[in-house]
Amino acid sequence: MDRFELIRGLKQPSSEKIVLLVMDGLGGLAKNGKTELETAKTPNMDRIARESETGLLVPILPGVTPGSGPGHLALFGYDPLVFQIGRGILSALGVKFPVRAGDLAARVNFATIDSQGNVTDRRAGRIPDEINRKMCGRISEIKIPGSEIFIETEKEHRAALVLRGMEFSEKLSETDPQKTGVPPLPVKPLDDAPASAKTAALLNTFLARVKETLKEEHPANMILLRGFALHTRIPSFSEVFGLNACAIAGYPMYRGLASLVGMEVIEVESGVKPQFDKLREVWGKYDFYFVHVKYTDSAGEDGDFDRKVSVIEDVDKNLGRILDLSPEVLAITADHSTPAIYKAHSWHPVPVLLRSKWARASGVAKFGETELAKGSMGNMPSVDLMTLLMAHAGRLQKFGA
Amino acid sequence: MDRFELIRGLKQPSSEKIVLLVMDGLGGLAKNGKTELETAKTPNMDRIARESETGLLVPILPGVTPGSGPGHLALFGYDPLVFQIGRGILSALGVKFPVRAGDLAARVNFATIDSQGNVTDRRAGRIPDEINRKMCGRISEIKIPGSEIFIETEKEHRAALVLRGMEFSEKLSETDPQKTGVPPLPVKPLDDAPASAKTAALLNTFLARVKETLKEEHPANMILLRGFALHTRIPSFSEVFGLNACAIAGYPMYRGLASLVGMEVIEVESGVKPQFDKLREVWGKYDFYFVHVKYTDSAGEDGDFDRKVSVIEDVDKNLGRILDLSPEVLAITADHSTPAIYKAHSWHPVPVLLRSKWARASGVAKFGETELAKGSMGNMPSVDLMTLLMAHAGRLQKFGA
C-alpha cells in the first residue's frame, strides 16, 4: 500500500484549520557560532517552539539538495522521488501559465537560422523581452487542428510552450542541435507508443509553421524546443488529503507549484506583511493555508547573512498576525536550506515546529538548528509532515483494527 | 532485497533470550506538564533506562494512528503496510480459531428482529455467553454446498464467523444497519470481481438459513455481519527470525495476533503479576517472550490519567520478576500511544528502551517521552525494533563481506 492509498483511505473531514508557513531556504549554517535563525531575535517563534513539537526535516534524502520544486512537493506530502516535475513544466509555471493535467510543456529558445535553414545563433542574440513578446504573439496565431498551443515570454530569448487537447507523450527528442551550422533537429519519438509518434508529428508540423511565420523576421526567426514534460501524474491535494487549500505566495514559481497540486492561488502583493494580512482576509474560507516567504532564500543566495537575519526577524515581528487567528495547527518550516555562507540551496535539514493542542511539547528554548536537533520530532523526512499535520487537525482515522 | 529476505539470510542461532514487554497504549500526552509515564514513579524502569538504548518508536508513519493489529505487527517486525489484518480475522483469532490462508472471516453480532424482520436490538440484549454458544451450535448445523462454515462464541452477543473452501472476496458490504427499526442489510459485492458476487450470494443464502433456523428463538434470533476479511498467508515468526516464540497475553486480540505469526500462546490469567509469574514459569522453554499488558491502554481509552499512572507503577513494581530472570535482551515499549487526555489511540511516537550488554547507554534520567526524545535510538520506525533485538541477542550475522 503506498502513501497516497493509505492517506486516501484514512482521511476524514474536520473543521480544524492548518497553516503551513514556509520560509524559503530558512535553514542555515553558522557564522561566528550561530546560524542565521539562531542569530535572529525571534521571541515569538521561540515562545511557540517551546510548546510545539520540533525537529529538523530532511527534504529529499540526506545529502540531496532540493530545487524549489521537489522541496515544496515534499512539504505538500508528495514524494519528490515519485512526482518529478519536468523542466518544461517548471518553465511554464515560471511564467504563471496555469498548467493542467495532460498538458505537454517545453522550454523554448528563440534562435537565428540562415537562408539554408542552418542555425547561426542558438539564442538569437539574446533579443530584448519586447521582441520576444512580439514573436510569441505571432506564433500564438498558429492554429493546428486537434490541439491548443500556448507560448509565453520568459526573458530575453527564452519562452515556454504548452500544448493542450490531445493525448501527448513526453518521450521526444529535443530540437536544439547544440551547435551552429546545422539545421534544428526534427522531433523524434523516443519510444513505440502511438502517442509519441503522434506528438512528434504534431510538433514537427507546428515547427514548420513557426519557420514559415517567422521567415521575414531577424534575428528571432526560429525556435528550438527542449525539456518536453508531460503534466499528468499529480493527484490533487484535495483528492489525496481532502483539504481545500489556498496558496498565499508572491512569486510565480511557488504560485505555480501550488496550482500544480490544485491549491487555489490567491492574488497578493509579495511581502511578509501584505501576505500575512491576506491570510487574515481569506481566513475561514479554506482548510489549509500555504504561506510562502521568499526573501530568506534570496538573502541566502546573495550570501547576505545579515539580510537573511533581518528577514527572519521581520517574519517573527509579524507572526502575531497569524497567531491571532488561532489556527488549530501551525507549522513553520522551509523547503530547503540556503545558508548565507554557502550562497546556494544546500542539503542540510531544515527547522520545523508544529503547534497544536495535541503537540508533545519539546521544550526547546530557541527556534534554531542546534536546539531543534534535540526536538521531539527528531530528523524526519519532509514528505512525512503532511500526515502529521492532518493527524493534529483530526483529519486522519485510525489505521487497522 | 526486502526486509524479510535480508533477515532470513542473516539469522543465526543463539542461546540468548529476548523479552518484549509491551505496555499497550503506553505513550501519552502531558497534563500539568507531565505525561502519564513521566508522572508515574518508576524507579526500576528509570534505573534500567539509564543503562539502555532508548528512544521513541513511530508505529506506522508520522501522524498515522495504529489499531492494535498494525501496532503489534510492526513490533513483531512485520511491515504493517504490507501485512494488513482485517477485523474479521482478528475476531476469529481472538476466539482461537485456527484461521488458514484463503479463509474469509467476519465479526458476528447476535441481534433481535421483530415479526416484520426489523432489528429491535443490535446486540440481542447482550445475551449471556451460554445462550451465544447454544445459538452458535444451531447455526453450525447449517450446511451450504461448496463451503464450510464455522461460527464461534466470543463473548456476550459477539461471535466470529469463518468460511472456508472456495475462492472468496472480502470486498463486501456489511449487514449491520447501525440502527433499529429497519431490517438487516443484504451483503452486496463492492467490486466487479466474480468472487465478490459469488461470496455475497453465498452469504445471503447463509443469512436466510440463519433467520429460518433461529426464528423460534428470542432475543438472539438473527445475526449481523461486519468486518469481512480474507486471511492471506503471513510468514511465521520462526521461519523469518528463527525464533521459537511464546506470547503471555491475557486478552484474545493479542493472543490472536501472536498466534497469527506463529507464536505459541500460553494460557494465563490476565494481570501484571500473574502474567509476569507465568513468564517465570515457562522461562527457558522459548527464545522470545512477548508479554502484553493491556491495562495501560484501557485506562487511556477511559481518559483516566491517574489510573494509567497507577497501572504503569504496578508494572514497575513487578518488574523485578522479569529482571530476576536476567534476560540477555529486554525491550519495554508500546504498540501505540493512548494519551488519557486524548481518550483514544493516537499517532504519537512511543517510548522504548532496549537493555542488553551491548547497549549503548543513553544515560537518560527518566523513562518518559520528553527525555526519550533525546535518547540514543532517536525516532525509529517500530518495524525496525526486531532486527535490533536480534542483533543484541547475537542472532544476526554480518551482512556482506
Side-chain angles (χ1 to χ4, degrees):
Chain A
M1 170 177 276
D2 78 11
R3 175 183 298 272
F4 279 4
E5 280 179 74
L6 179 73
I7 297 169
R8 280 191 192 100
L10 298 183
K11 68 167 190 262
Q12 65 181 6
S14 153
S15 62
E16 303 197 0
K17 310 265 172 287
I18 302 169
V19 174
L20 173 65
L21 172 58
V22 175
M23 297 171 73
D24 203 301
L26 174 64
L29 285 170
K31 198 171 97 173
N32 303 322
K34 283 183 176 177
T35 68
E36 300 89 319
L37 181 56
E38 289 166 351
T39 305
K41 287 189 186 61
T42 54
N44 291 312
M45 290 189 225
D46 296 349
R47 179 172 47 79
I48 65 171
R50 220 162 286 144
E51 63 199 43
S52 296
E53 305 199 347
T54 63
L56 294 168
L57 296 181
V58 177
I60 314 292
L61 284 177
V64 176
T65 297
S68 299
H72 276 85
L73 284 185
L75 290 177
F76 297 161
Y78 293 73
D79 184 338
L81 298 181
V82 172
F83 299 98
Q84 296 191 42
I85 315 297
R87 286 187 169 272
I89 298 293
L90 281 177
S91 197
L93 293 173
V95 297
K96 296 200 209 186
F97 188 88
V99 189
R100 289 190 205 155
D103 288 354
L104 178 74
R107 303 171 78 188
V108 175
N109 267 14
F110 279 100
T112 311
I113 54 173
D114 63 17
S115 56
Q116 275 74 52
N118 293 326
V119 176
T120 57
D121 185 337
R122 291 173 51 241
R123 295 184 184 82
R126 296 190 186 271
I127 44 166
D129 298 2
E130 199 183 300
I131 305 289
N132 183 320
R133 262 189 289 275
K134 195 177 142 205
M135 295 303 117
C136 284
R138 306 228 12 220
I139 295 171
S140 291
E141 284 163 24
I142 299 172
K143 303 290 169 217
I144 305 218
S147 79
E148 289 179 276
I149 297 173
F150 308 91
I151 184 165
E152 303 275 350
T153 297
E154 196 176 323
K155 215 180 157 121
E156 296 178 340
H157 56 288
R158 294 190 302 276
L161 180 77
V162 177
L163 273 61
R164 179 173 291 167
M166 57 174 246
E167 196 199 323
F168 298 110
S169 162
E170 63 184 6
K171 304 294 182 193
L172 304 168
S173 67
E174 308 189 330
T175 77
D176 185 342
Q178 298 288 343
K179 58 183 177 190
T180 54
V182 294
L185 303 169
V187 179
K188 284 186 209 146
L190 296 178
D191 66 13
D192 293 335
S196 302
K198 222 172 136 191
T199 309
L202 178 107
L203 283 162
N204 288 324
T205 303
F206 167 68
L207 288 167
R209 297 279 301 277
V210 170
K211 188 176 172 186
E212 178 64 23
T213 302
L214 301 186
K215 71 174 179 217
E216 304 300 332
E217 304 293 337
H218 201 278
N221 60 1
M222 192 46 188
I223 61 172
L224 304 174
L225 301 181
R226 291 184 297 156
F228 292 108
L230 206 50
H231 179 41
T232 50
R233 291 160 302 173
I234 296 211
S236 83
F237 204 73
S238 78
E239 187 258 317
V240 176
F241 301 105
L243 291 166
N244 176 20
C246 72
I248 302 173
Y251 274 60
M253 167 78 90
Y254 312 96
R255 300 164 65 87
L257 282 163
S259 87
L260 195 70
V261 299
M263 292 186 190
E264 191 166 327
V265 174
I266 311 279
E267 273 307 318
V268 66
E269 182 196 337
S270 186
V272 174
K273 187 171 172 299
Q275 287 179 239
F276 287 13
D277 283 343
K278 182 59 78 174
L279 172 68
R280 300 171 67 86
E281 199 183 311
V282 301
W283 187 247
K285 292 189 188 159
Y286 304 89
D287 303 315
F288 185 98
Y289 303 79
F290 159 52
V291 183
H292 180 265
V293 172
K294 174 65 182 168
Y295 306 100
T296 24
D297 180 58
S298 324
E301 296 254 11
D302 292 347
D304 193 334
F305 193 98
D306 296 342
R307 200 172 94 227
K308 191 168 163 192
V309 168
S310 67
V311 174
I312 296 168
E313 291 180 343
D314 187 33
V315 171
D316 194 76
K317 218 171 345 188
N318 283 283
L319 202 61
R321 291 171 206 274
I322 297 180
L323 299 178
D324 277 358
L325 300 169
S326 303
E328 282 87 354
V329 183
L330 168 67
I332 304 179
T333 188
D335 52 343
H336 54 76
S337 294
T338 308
I341 64 165
Y342 191 72
K343 296 190 186 178
H345 290 201
S346 81
W347 61 90
H348 301 87
V350 302
V352 63
L353 69 75
L354 190 169
R355 191 180 74 155
S356 95
K357 67 177 165 187
W358 304 121
R360 241 183 216 165
S362 64
V364 305
K366 167 76 188 159
F367 189 53
E369 290 83 345
T370 313
E371 275 287 295
L372 295 171
K374 302 172 205 155
S376 52
M377 287 160 75
N379 264 25
M380 191 177 86
S382 296
V383 72
D384 286 336
L385 181 63
M386 268 306 299
T387 40
L388 207 50
L389 294 175
M390 288 184 70
H392 281 267
R395 290 179 173 274
L396 275 187
Q397 294 166 41
K398 185 163 70 173
F399 172 65
Chain B
M1 173 179 274
D2 78 11
R3 174 184 298 272
F4 280 4
E5 283 178 75
L6 178 72
I7 297 169
R8 280 191 192 101
L10 299 183
K11 68 168 189 266
Q12 66 180 6
S14 153
S15 63
E16 303 198 0
K17 309 266 171 287
I18 301 170
V19 173
L20 172 64
L21 171 58
V22 175
M23 297 170 72
D24 203 300
L26 175 63
L29 284 171
K31 199 171 96 172
N32 305 320
K34 283 182 178 177
T35 68
E36 299 88 318
L37 181 55
E38 289 165 351
T39 305
K41 287 189 187 62
T42 54
N44 291 311
M45 290 188 222
D46 296 348
R47 179 172 47 80
I48 64 172
R50 220 164 287 144
E51 61 199 46
S52 297
E53 305 199 349
T54 63
L56 295 168
L57 297 181
V58 178
I60 314 290
L61 283 176
V64 176
T65 297
S68 300
H72 275 86
L73 283 186
L75 291 177
F76 297 160
Y78 294 74
D79 183 338
L81 297 181
V82 173
F83 300 99
Q84 295 191 43
I85 316 294
R87 284 186 171 271
I89 297 296
L90 284 176
S91 197
L93 294 172
V95 298
K96 297 202 208 179
F97 188 88
V99 189
R100 289 190 205 153
D103 287 354
L104 177 75
R107 301 171 79 189
V108 174
N109 267 13
F110 279 98
T112 311
I113 54 173
D114 63 19
S115 55
Q116 274 75 55
N118 293 326
V119 176
T120 58
D121 186 337
R122 290 173 52 240
R123 295 182 185 84
R126 296 187 187 271
I127 42 166
D129 299 2
E130 199 183 302
I131 304 289
N132 183 320
R133 262 188 290 275
K134 194 178 143 201
M135 296 302 117
C136 285
R138 303 219 25 209
I139 295 171
S140 292
E141 283 163 25
I142 299 172
K143 304 290 170 215
I144 303 214
S147 78
E148 288 180 276
I149 297 172
F150 308 90
I151 183 165
E152 302 274 350
T153 297
E154 194 177 325
K155 214 180 157 119
E156 295 179 341
H157 56 289
R158 295 191 300 276
L161 180 76
V162 177
L163 273 62
R164 179 173 291 165
M166 58 175 246
E167 197 199 322
F168 298 109
S169 160
E170 61 184 4
K171 304 292 183 194
L172 304 169
S173 68
E174 308 189 330
T175 77
D176 186 341
Q178 299 288 343
K179 57 183 175 187
T180 55
V182 294
L185 302 169
V187 179
K188 283 186 209 145
L190 296 178
D191 66 13
D192 293 334
S196 303
K198 223 174 135 189
T199 310
L202 177 106
L203 283 162
N204 288 325
T205 303
F206 167 67
L207 288 167
R209 297 278 302 276
V210 170
K211 190 176 171 187
E212 178 64 24
T213 301
L214 302 185
K215 72 175 177 216
E216 303 300 329
E217 304 291 337
H218 194 88
N221 59 2
M222 191 48 187
I223 61 172
L224 303 174
L225 300 181
R226 291 183 298 156
F228 292 107
L230 269 181
H231 183 44
T232 45
R233 200 189 91 84
I234 291 202
S236 82
F237 203 74
S238 77
E239 186 258 318
V240 176
F241 301 104
L243 291 165
N244 175 20
C246 72
I248 302 173
Y251 274 60
M253 164 84 87
Y254 313 96
R255 300 163 66 88
L257 283 162
S259 87
L260 192 72
V261 298
M263 292 185 190
E264 189 167 328
V265 175
I266 311 277
E267 273 306 318
V268 65
E269 182 196 337
S270 185
V272 174
K273 187 170 172 299
Q275 287 178 239
F276 288 13
D277 283 343
K278 182 59 78 174
L279 172 68
R280 299 171 68 87
E281 199 183 311
V282 300
W283 188 248
K285 293 190 188 157
Y286 304 89
D287 304 316
F288 184 98
Y289 302 79
F290 158 53
V291 183
H292 180 266
V293 173
K294 174 65 180 166
Y295 307 99
T296 25
D297 180 58
S298 324
E301 295 255 11
D302 291 348
D304 193 334
F305 193 97
D306 296 342
R307 198 173 94 226
K308 191 168 163 193
V309 169
S310 67
V311 174
I312 296 167
E313 292 180 343
D314 186 32
V315 172
D316 194 76
K317 218 170 345 184
N318 283 283
L319 203 62
R321 289 170 207 274
I322 297 180
L323 300 177
D324 277 357
L325 300 169
S326 303
E328 282 87 353
V329 183
L330 168 66
I332 305 179
T333 187
D335 52 344
H336 54 77
S337 294
T338 308
I341 65 165
Y342 191 70
K343 295 188 186 180
H345 290 200
S346 81
W347 62 90
H348 300 86
V350 302
V352 63
L353 69 76
L354 190 169
R355 191 181 74 156
S356 93
K357 67 178 164 187
W358 306 121
R360 237 182 219 165
S362 64
V364 304
K366 167 74 190 160
F367 189 53
E369 291 82 347
T370 312
E371 275 287 297
L372 294 171
K374 302 173 205 154
S376 52
M377 286 161 75
N379 266 21
M380 191 178 86
S382 297
V383 72
D384 287 337
L385 181 64
M386 267 306 299
T387 40
L388 207 50
L389 293 176
M390 287 182 70
H392 280 267
R395 290 181 173 274
L396 276 187
Q397 293 165 43
K398 184 164 66 175
F399 174 64

